[in-house]
PDB file of all heavy atoms in Angstrom:
ATOM      1  N   ASP A 131     -26.127 -15.957   1.789  1.00 93.00           N
ATOM      2  CA  ASP A 131     -26.111 -17.199   1.027  1.00 93.00           C
ATOM      3  C   ASP A 131     -27.297 -17.233   0.070  1.00 93.00           C
ATOM      4  O   ASP A 131     -28.402 -16.800   0.415  1.00 93.00           O
ATOM      5  CB  ASP A 131     -26.201 -18.408   1.954  1.00 93.00           C
ATOM      6  CG  ASP A 131     -24.937 -18.604   2.777  1.00 93.00           C
ATOM      7  OD1 ASP A 131     -23.935 -17.904   2.505  1.00 93.00           O
ATOM      8  OD2 ASP A 131     -24.945 -19.451   3.686  1.00 93.00           O
ATOM      9  N   GLY A 132     -27.063 -17.759  -1.110  1.00 96.00           N
ATOM     10  CA  GLY A 132     -28.131 -17.911  -2.090  1.00 96.00           C
ATOM     11  C   GLY A 132     -28.415 -16.667  -2.914  1.00 96.00           C
ATOM     12  O   GLY A 132     -29.280 -16.690  -3.785  1.00 96.00           O
ATOM     13  N   SER A 133     -27.693 -15.601  -2.682  1.00 96.00           N
ATOM     14  CA  SER A 133     -27.937 -14.373  -3.447  1.00 96.00           C
ATOM     15  C   SER A 133     -27.055 -14.328  -4.688  1.00 96.00           C
ATOM     16  O   SER A 133     -26.257 -15.232  -4.942  1.00 96.00           O
ATOM     17  CB  SER A 133     -27.725 -13.143  -2.568  1.00 96.00           C
ATOM     18  OG  SER A 133     -26.382 -13.058  -2.144  1.00 96.00           O
ATOM     19  N   THR A 134     -27.195 -13.252  -5.451  1.00 97.00           N
ATOM     20  CA  THR A 134     -26.466 -13.095  -6.710  1.00 97.00           C
ATOM     21  C   THR A 134     -25.639 -11.823  -6.690  1.00 97.00           C
ATOM     22  O   THR A 134     -26.109 -10.783  -6.234  1.00 97.00           O
ATOM     23  CB  THR A 134     -27.446 -13.039  -7.903  1.00 97.00           C
ATOM     24  OG1 THR A 134     -28.190 -14.262  -7.935  1.00 97.00           O
ATOM     25  CG2 THR A 134     -26.742 -12.848  -9.223  1.00 97.00           C
ATOM     26  N   VAL A 135     -24.433 -11.924  -7.202  1.00 98.00           N
ATOM     27  CA  VAL A 135     -23.577 -10.764  -7.464  1.00 98.00           C
ATOM     28  C   VAL A 135     -23.500 -10.640  -8.977  1.00 98.00           C
ATOM     29  O   VAL A 135     -23.171 -11.607  -9.668  1.00 98.00           O
ATOM     30  CB  VAL A 135     -22.169 -10.943  -6.849  1.00 98.00           C
ATOM     31  CG1 VAL A 135     -21.231  -9.844  -7.326  1.00 98.00           C
ATOM     32  CG2 VAL A 135     -22.249 -10.989  -5.332  1.00 98.00           C
ATOM     33  N   THR A 136     -23.829  -9.468  -9.472  1.00 98.00           N
ATOM     34  CA  THR A 136     -23.868  -9.247 -10.922  1.00 98.00           C
ATOM     35  C   THR A 136     -22.815  -8.228 -11.328  1.00 98.00           C
ATOM     36  O   THR A 136     -22.753  -7.131 -10.774  1.00 98.00           O
ATOM     37  CB  THR A 136     -25.248  -8.742 -11.362  1.00 98.00           C
ATOM     38  OG1 THR A 136     -26.237  -9.706 -10.951  1.00 98.00           O
ATOM     39  CG2 THR A 136     -25.318  -8.554 -12.873  1.00 98.00           C
ATOM     40  N   VAL A 137     -21.993  -8.602 -12.297  1.00 98.00           N
ATOM     41  CA  VAL A 137     -20.980  -7.716 -12.849  1.00 98.00           C
ATOM     42  C   VAL A 137     -21.431  -7.357 -14.262  1.00 98.00           C
ATOM     43  O   VAL A 137     -21.816  -8.236 -15.040  1.00 98.00           O
ATOM     44  CB  VAL A 137     -19.588  -8.390 -12.876  1.00 98.00           C
ATOM     45  CG1 VAL A 137     -18.541  -7.449 -13.461  1.00 98.00           C
ATOM     46  CG2 VAL A 137     -19.189  -8.860 -11.481  1.00 98.00           C
ATOM     47  N   SER A 138     -21.404  -6.066 -14.574  1.00 96.00           N
ATOM     48  CA  SER A 138     -21.807  -5.637 -15.913  1.00 96.00           C
ATOM     49  C   SER A 138     -20.908  -4.493 -16.388  1.00 96.00           C
ATOM     50  O   SER A 138     -20.200  -3.888 -15.596  1.00 96.00           O
ATOM     51  CB  SER A 138     -23.276  -5.205 -15.909  1.00 96.00           C
ATOM     52  OG  SER A 138     -23.501  -4.150 -14.987  1.00 96.00           O
ATOM     53  N   ILE A 139     -21.002  -4.241 -17.673  1.00 95.00           N
ATOM     54  CA  ILE A 139     -20.197  -3.191 -18.310  1.00 95.00           C
ATOM     55  C   ILE A 139     -21.155  -2.232 -19.009  1.00 95.00           C
ATOM     56  O   ILE A 139     -22.069  -2.666 -19.722  1.00 95.00           O
ATOM     57  CB  ILE A 139     -19.217  -3.787 -19.333  1.00 95.00           C
ATOM     58  CG1 ILE A 139     -18.250  -4.739 -18.654  1.00 95.00           C
ATOM     59  CG2 ILE A 139     -18.469  -2.688 -20.082  1.00 95.00           C
ATOM     60  CD1 ILE A 139     -17.369  -5.532 -19.631  1.00 95.00           C
ATOM     61  N   ILE A 140     -20.937  -0.936 -18.788  1.00 92.00           N
ATOM     62  CA  ILE A 140     -21.754   0.075 -19.445  1.00 92.00           C
ATOM     63  C   ILE A 140     -20.815   1.042 -20.164  1.00 92.00           C
ATOM     64  O   ILE A 140     -20.023   1.723 -19.522  1.00 92.00           O
ATOM     65  CB  ILE A 140     -22.625   0.857 -18.425  1.00 92.00           C
ATOM     66  CG1 ILE A 140     -23.477  -0.110 -17.588  1.00 92.00           C
ATOM     67  CG2 ILE A 140     -23.527   1.861 -19.140  1.00 92.00           C
ATOM     68  CD1 ILE A 140     -22.966  -0.301 -16.208  1.00 92.00           C
ATOM     69  N   PRO A 141     -20.877   1.075 -21.498  1.00 91.00           N
ATOM     70  CA  PRO A 141     -19.993   1.980 -22.238  1.00 91.00           C
ATOM     71  C   PRO A 141     -20.550   3.395 -22.261  1.00 91.00           C
ATOM     72  O   PRO A 141     -21.753   3.609 -22.453  1.00 91.00           O
ATOM     73  CB  PRO A 141     -19.972   1.368 -23.639  1.00 91.00           C
ATOM     74  CG  PRO A 141     -21.243   0.612 -23.756  1.00 91.00           C
ATOM     75  CD  PRO A 141     -21.637   0.186 -22.373  1.00 91.00           C
ATOM     76  N   TYR A 142     -19.688   4.359 -22.035  1.00 91.00           N
ATOM     77  CA  TYR A 142     -20.008   5.778 -22.165  1.00 91.00           C
ATOM     78  C   TYR A 142     -19.002   6.391 -23.126  1.00 91.00           C
ATOM     79  O   TYR A 142     -18.024   5.735 -23.499  1.00 91.00           O
ATOM     80  CB  TYR A 142     -19.933   6.491 -20.812  1.00 91.00           C
ATOM     81  CG  TYR A 142     -20.969   6.008 -19.826  1.00 91.00           C
ATOM     82  CD1 TYR A 142     -20.622   5.140 -18.798  1.00 91.00           C
ATOM     83  CD2 TYR A 142     -22.291   6.433 -19.909  1.00 91.00           C
ATOM     84  CE1 TYR A 142     -21.564   4.691 -17.889  1.00 91.00           C
ATOM     85  CE2 TYR A 142     -23.243   5.986 -19.000  1.00 91.00           C
ATOM     86  CZ  TYR A 142     -22.875   5.123 -17.992  1.00 91.00           C
ATOM     87  OH  TYR A 142     -23.817   4.679 -17.093  1.00 91.00           O
ATOM     88  N   GLU A 143     -19.221   7.629 -23.486  1.00 89.00           N
ATOM     89  CA  GLU A 143     -18.331   8.271 -24.452  1.00 89.00           C
ATOM     90  C   GLU A 143     -16.896   8.382 -23.939  1.00 89.00           C
ATOM     91  O   GLU A 143     -15.950   8.049 -24.635  1.00 89.00           O
ATOM     92  CB  GLU A 143     -18.859   9.664 -24.807  1.00 89.00           C
ATOM     93  CG  GLU A 143     -18.074  10.319 -25.918  1.00 89.00           C
ATOM     94  CD  GLU A 143     -18.682  11.638 -26.348  1.00 89.00           C
ATOM     95  OE1 GLU A 143     -19.891  11.838 -26.165  1.00 89.00           O
ATOM     96  OE2 GLU A 143     -17.920  12.472 -26.855  1.00 89.00           O
TER      97      GLU A 143
END
Side-chain angles (χ1 to χ4, degrees):
D131 290 351
S133 63
T134 300
V135 171
T136 303
V137 180
S138 59
I139 299 172
I140 305 104
Y142 295 103
E143 187 175 335

